[in-house]
């Protein structure tokens, strides 16, 4: 329990820990008010029953006072509830935000290693209900624990021997039950955390892939996968809820059993003192009644803490494994002044037999336009990922005017505008998709309209409007329109280096020609690196880089390459246009 408490405390900041202590103290205050109310009922009843009520003023005053106390108690409890529930939710939201922040700041390769559904399961699953319940349970443990100690202490003081008999009977039977339930709760908690990820993944696959699923007529497989995860989840929840209820179900008969044990003991050992024993039994009956709810709540809290422990540990492990983004680079990178140099770069992806990139060297001078071509799988996108600083090279390095980009990746990335092979479209307006991540107030409308023209998006704007929604994953856009939105996004924030990965592959030749003219004009002002399958897209580049099987086979001006490189020539003439 204590190491777990330390794990939990480490998730909170200092303010959070202080608030948790304050809530514990305030909850003890609430328990005090509760006890005071109960304690005052008896004298009030005595007053009503007494003959000296007189004109009844004293009774009215006492009832009024009692009412005031009950109202104060309710207001206090309401305020406390508001404070503590608000605080639990704030802590939970803050941890979810911190996890998302760290997942987004993580190195790209790590991002590729982990399943998105697993991350959602922790940041959006574990950090919500399990975390809030664990926090709440710790408070319950403190306050109900105090009540338990108080009531048990009074009983022990009043009747030490019967109490020892009773507690050892209850404890002796309850101990193995508790051990069993503890082990099961931990195992179920682990399964519960894993199954959330399976559930999220199954439903995402079913809905994300709906187009192909429908045409192939295979919804049954996806439904079955989701149903299986859901059933598994249901089974875990059912067993958890049963274990949560188990203490109450076991305790009630146990306490009565202890009562019977005390009666039997008294009758057989001290039949002469049975008269005194009635008082002890009365104490047991009343104490037992007060104990059962407190014990139930305490054991319920212990069970919740155990069941959600794996979830809390998963949060803690990810917070430790994913460091927060560091703002200060080792060595700030100046703006590109001379050249980007790729020096003997090699990349091996785990599991692949062949290196994705091997001994790649290339110099790109400021202002040059580079076209990268090669068969599918040749390593073009991987080379761009290395230049973008997303994939760190296993061998070699990429430098900007002699400085390794690894010394300030964020500084380098801020110099780049990039259109990926698969443009991400968010379910928002065209404006939000172009400005991508800028607040509305920061969007420059004049610049936006200028970019809409450059990216040949006027037709799309005429149909949807800049403030029209483009649908989930851009479902209201055509393939070429998506690409042009990606291009507009890259051009909106003027950056000196432009990297395009098949950015115009889905355009018709006329639109591509128009965009090509824009890009050609940009090439004169910026350093551009263009990956393309279509010859027309890159023909005019200063240098063509020809890649095959992770290597640069040759590079030079298009006409020189055709003239001197038979493989390139074959590549060009074999319909690569
Ligand atoms: N994350 C990854 N893990 C393992 N292998 C990868 C990964 N990304 C790419 N690869 C492999 O690396 C090789 C190069 O891929 P890359 O995406 O760079 O090809 P490409 O030249 O861009 O192809 P295309 O023209 O089809 O886009 C491929 O064999 C691919 O399967
Ligand atoms: Mg590619």
């Amino acid at each position: 329990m204590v190491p777990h408490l330390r794990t939990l405390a480490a998730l909170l900041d200092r303010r959070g820990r202080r608030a948790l202590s304050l809530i514990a103290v305030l909850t003890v205050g609430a328990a005090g008010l509760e006890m005071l109310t109960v304690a005052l009922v008896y004298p009030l009843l005595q007053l009503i029953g007494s003959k000296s009520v007189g004109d009844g003023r004293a009774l009215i005053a006492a009832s009024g006072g009692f009412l005031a106390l009950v109202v104060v108690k309710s207001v206090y409890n309401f305020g406390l509830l508001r404070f503590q529930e608000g605080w639990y939710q704030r802590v939970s939201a803050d941890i979810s935000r911190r996890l998302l922040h760290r997942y987004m700041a993580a190195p790209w390769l790590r991002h590729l290693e982990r399943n998105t559904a697993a991350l959602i399961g922790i940041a959006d699953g574990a950090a919500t209900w399990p975390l809030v319940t664990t926090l709440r349970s710790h408070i319950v443990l403190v306050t109900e624990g105090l009540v338990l100690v108080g009531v048990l202490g009074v009983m022990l003081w009043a009747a030490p021997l019967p109490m020892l008999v009773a507690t050892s009977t209850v404890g002796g039977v309850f101990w193995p039950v508790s051990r069993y339930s503890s082990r099961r709760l931990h195992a179920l908690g682990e399964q519960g955390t894993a199954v959330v990820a399976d559930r999220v993944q199954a439903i995402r696959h079913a809905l994300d892939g709906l187009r192909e699923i429908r045409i192939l007529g295979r919804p049954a497989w996806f439904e079955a996968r989701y149903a299986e995860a859901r059933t598994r989840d249901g089974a875990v929840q059912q067993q958890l809820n049963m274990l949560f209820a188990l203490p109450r179900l076991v305790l009630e008969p146990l306490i009565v059993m202890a009562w019977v044990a005390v009666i039997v003991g008294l009758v057989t050992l001290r039949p002469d003192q049975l008269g005194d024993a009635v008082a002890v039994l009365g104490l047991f009956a009343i104490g037992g009644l007060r104990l059962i709810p407190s014990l139930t709540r305490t054991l319920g809290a212990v069970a919740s803490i155990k069941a959600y422990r794996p979830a809390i540990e998963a949060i803690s492990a990810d917070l430790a494994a994913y460091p927060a983004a560091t703002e200060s680079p080792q060595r700030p990178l100046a703006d590109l002044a001379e050249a980007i140099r790729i020096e003997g770069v090699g990349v091996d992806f785990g599991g692949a037999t062949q290196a994705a990139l091997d001994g790649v060297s290339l110099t790109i001078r400021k202002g040059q336009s580079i076209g990268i071509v090669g068969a599918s799988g040749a390593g073009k996108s991987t080379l761009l990922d290395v230049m973008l600083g997303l994939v760190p090279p296993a061998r070699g390095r990429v430098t900007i005017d002699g400085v390794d980009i690894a010394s300030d990746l964020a500084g380098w990335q801020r110099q780049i505008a990039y259109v990926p092979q698969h443009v991400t479209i968010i379910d928002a307006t065209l404006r939000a998709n172009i400005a991508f991540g800028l607040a509305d107030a920061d969007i420059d409308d004049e610049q936006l309209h200028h970019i809409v023209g450059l990216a040949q998006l006027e037709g799309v704007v005429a149909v949807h409007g800049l403030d029209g929604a483009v649908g989930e994953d851009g479902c209201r856009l055509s393939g070429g329109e998506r690409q042009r939105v990606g291009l507009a996004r890259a051009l909106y924030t003027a950056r000196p280096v432009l990297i395009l990965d098949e950015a115009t592959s889905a355009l018709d030749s006329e639109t591509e020609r128009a965009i090509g003219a824009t890009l050609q004009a940009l090439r004169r002002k910026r350093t551009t690196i263009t990956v393309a399958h279509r010859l027309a897209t890159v023909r005019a580049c200063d240098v063509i880089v020809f890649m095959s099987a992770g290597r640069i086979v040759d590079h030079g001006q298009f006409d020189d390459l055709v003239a001197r490189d038979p493989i390139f020539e074959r590549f060009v003439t074999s319909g690569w246009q």
Side-chain angles (χ1 to χ4, degrees):
M1 204 65 129
V2 171
H4 180 49
L5 202 57
R6 225 173 278 146
T7 313
L8 188 67
L11 296 184
L12 311 177
D13 53 12
R14 191 130 56 102
R15 223 178 109 227
R17 284 196 288 268
R18 266 211 303 265
L20 192 59
S21 322
L22 181 63
I23 289 172
V25 171
L26 290 175
T27 317
V28 171
L33 276 178
E34 188 69 52
M35 278 166 154
L36 186 64
T37 321
V38 174
L40 284 182
V41 171
Y42 185 62
L44 192 65
L45 289 178
Q46 261 185 337
L47 189 63
I48 296 170
S50 75
K51 295 193 178 69
S52 60
V53 175
D55 58 3
R57 278 197 201 157
L59 184 59
I60 291 174
S63 318
F66 187 68
L67 173 67
L69 177 68
V70 173
V71 171
V72 166
K73 180 171 74 91
S74 287
V75 171
Y76 181 94
N77 281 337
F78 184 75
L80 176 59
L81 187 71
R82 188 163 181 261
F83 175 60
Q84 71 186 44
E85 288 304 316
W87 184 78
Y88 296 150
Q89 296 304 333
R90 262 198 308 283
V91 167
S92 151
D94 182 57
I95 290 182
S96 290
R97 182 197 57 75
R98 267 159 61 197
L99 281 166
L100 179 64
H101 167 87
R102 287 164 187 234
Y103 292 153
M104 291 203 300
W108 189 250
L109 286 188
R110 163 161 264 175
H111 186 70
L112 294 183
E113 279 164 12
R114 284 211 44 202
N115 189 293
T116 312
L119 303 185
I120 296 175
I122 295 175
D124 204 60
T128 51
W129 176 251
L131 177 66
V132 168
T133 308
T134 304
L135 289 170
R136 207 182 275 138
S137 300
H138 277 94
I139 297 294
V140 169
L141 222 53
V142 170
T143 52
E144 295 295 344
L146 283 179
V147 172
L148 278 184
V149 170
V151 175
L152 283 173
V154 168
M155 289 172 77
L156 196 63
W157 173 76
L161 188 67
M163 265 307 278
L164 284 179
V165 175
T167 40
S168 47
T169 318
V170 173
V173 179
F174 195 69
W175 181 247
V177 176
S178 156
R179 296 286 303 167
Y180 162 78
S181 125
S182 174
R183 273 198 303 274
R184 282 296 299 147
L185 281 167
H186 192 84
L188 285 169
E190 275 178 346
Q191 290 170 27
T193 311
V195 86
V196 173
D198 294 349
R199 231 175 55 197
V200 172
Q201 191 178 50
I203 200 164
R204 280 189 53 176
H205 284 174
L207 297 177
D208 289 353
L210 198 54
R211 180 190 291 269
E212 288 100 318
I213 293 170
R214 180 162 303 172
I215 303 306
L216 284 167
R218 307 235 171 94
W221 188 81
F222 291 87
E223 258 172 53
R225 274 189 63 206
Y226 179 64
E228 187 273 326
R230 207 65 191 72
T231 309
R232 209 150 28 94
D233 191 19
V236 170
Q237 291 308 328
Q238 181 199 12
Q239 290 186 54
L240 274 179
N241 289 338
M242 281 165 61
L243 284 176
F244 288 156
L246 190 66
R248 185 168 45 86
L249 299 178
V250 176
L251 266 180
E252 224 166 304
L254 266 183
I255 289 182
V256 175
M257 204 174 98
W259 203 50
V260 172
V262 171
I263 291 179
V264 172
L266 283 171
V267 168
T268 49
L269 298 176
R270 299 200 188 146
D272 50 321
Q273 292 172 12
L274 220 51
D276 293 345
V278 173
V280 173
L281 289 175
L283 176 79
F284 265 67
I286 296 171
L289 275 183
R290 186 67 198 86
L291 270 183
I292 289 178
S294 275
L295 257 181
T296 309
R297 276 197 286 270
T298 307
L299 294 171
V302 170
S304 295
I305 291 170
K306 285 198 174 124
Y308 293 128
R309 187 172 173 160
I312 304 299
E313 280 165 356
I315 296 174
S316 169
D318 269 8
L319 281 177
Y322 288 77
T326 44
E327 277 308 315
S328 49
Q330 294 166 15
R331 183 175 166 187
L333 209 62
D335 287 352
L336 171 67
E338 194 221 324
I340 306 166
R341 287 198 177 79
I342 298 154
E343 303 172 7
V345 160
V347 168
D348 315 299
F349 284 120
T353 46
Q354 192 191 335
L357 289 181
D358 194 16
V360 172
S361 294
L362 182 68
T363 298
I364 302 166
R365 300 202 177 283
K366 186 184 176 188
Q368 256 188 338
S369 59
I370 307 289
I372 303 178
V373 299
S376 178
K380 305 179 296 293
S381 296
T382 307
L383 179 57
L384 293 192
D385 280 349
V386 171
M387 280 194 244
L388 290 162
L390 291 177
V391 171
R395 297 170 292 282
R397 59 180 199 157
V398 177
T399 61
I400 305 304
D401 303 332
V403 183
D404 194 331
I405 58 168
S407 65
D408 182 12
L409 282 179
W412 167 230
Q413 283 156 354
R414 277 194 290 274
Q415 301 185 38
I416 304 172
Y418 165 58
V419 185
Q421 201 163 1
H422 304 283
V423 175
T424 306
I425 303 285
I426 52 172
D427 189 4
T429 62
L430 202 53
R431 174 194 302 274
N433 267 290
I434 295 174
F436 210 58
L438 286 184
D440 278 351
D442 296 332
I443 300 176
D444 177 347
D445 266 6
E446 208 175 307
Q447 164 78 347
L448 197 70
H449 283 108
H450 172 61
I451 294 300
V452 163
L454 286 186
Q456 303 287 307
L457 276 172
E458 287 107 333
V460 182
V461 172
V463 174
H464 300 287
L466 264 177
D467 292 305
V470 295
E472 190 168 46
D473 196 26
C475 65
R476 283 179 216 143
L477 299 176
S478 76
E481 285 166 356
R482 287 174 71 97
Q483 284 197 331
R484 279 176 279 157
V485 171
L487 196 65
R489 184 182 296 160
L491 297 182
Y492 177 83
T493 310
R495 302 258 173 101
V497 180
L498 183 60
I499 297 185
L500 309 167
D501 193 355
E502 298 286 2
T504 53
S505 61
L507 303 186
D508 62 274
S509 36
E510 191 159 334
T511 313
E512 194 186 18
R513 233 191 327 274
I515 294 224
T518 300
L519 292 177
Q520 200 50 37
L522 282 173
R523 283 188 185 120
R524 283 192 280 276
K525 290 188 239 157
R526 303 185 191 188
T527 310
T528 58
I529 298 146
T530 313
V531 166
H533 279 118
R534 264 196 254 179
L535 174 62
T537 318
V538 287
R539 189 168 194 150
C541 287
D542 300 330
V543 178
I544 304 277
V545 174
F546 179 42
M547 291 187 70
S548 175
R551 292 172 166 276
I552 293 183
V553 182
D554 204 350
H555 67 287
Q557 273 200 332
F558 182 80
D559 295 333
D560 294 347
L561 278 185
V562 174
R564 73 165 182 243
D565 193 329
I567 305 175
F568 185 73
E569 208 251 326
R570 241 195 342 272
F571 189 68
V572 172
T573 49
S574 64
W576 167 71
Q577 321 239 348

